[in-house]
Amino acid sequence: MLVELIVKQFPEIGIEGYEEMKLPFGTLYSNPIEKRVEILVKKRADGKVSIYTDKSEVIKKILEVSEVVDVNPL
């Protein structure tokens, strides 16, 4: 299931094995083997940050390094 995690500030997740592509509004993380984007970290207008993913290891890492204020299924 794809979820949106909302956190207070831009997290430093540093997950090994992903290629990072920085954009003006956020960061994409792709799996170079499967050639798929698996994580989007996006700045929101309200100052918070949305993280979109369906990877449980990414969600666990976000919970370790950031304060999640909301979650939404997509």
Side-chain angles (χ1 to χ4, degrees):
M1 171 190 301
L2 183 63
V3 297
E4 173 193 26
L5 300 169
I6 301 171
V7 297
K8 290 185 176 183
Q9 57 189 355
F10 206 91
E12 295 297 327
I13 52 178
I15 299 173
E16 290 184 34
Y18 287 94
E19 291 181 348
E20 183 178 80
M21 295 175 273
K22 292 196 181 258
L23 302 168
F25 58 84
T27 305
L28 297 168
Y29 294 89
S30 66
N31 180 328
I33 296 169
E34 295 181 19
K35 300 187 186 308
R36 294 177 31 149
V37 172
E38 296 185 350
I39 309 162
L40 167 61
V41 181
K42 183 180 177 199
K43 298 174 188 173
R44 297 164 43 112
D46 63 3
K48 295 181 181 140
V49 176
S50 289
I51 303 160
Y52 300 90
T53 190
D54 65 350
K55 301 292 183 187
S56 62
E57 70 269 14
V58 173
I59 295 169
K60 288 177 185 177
K61 183 70 172 179
I62 296 301
L63 292 171
E64 290 175 8
V65 300
S66 297
E67 181 182 347
V68 176
V69 295
D70 199 5
V71 63
N72 298 304
L74 303 172

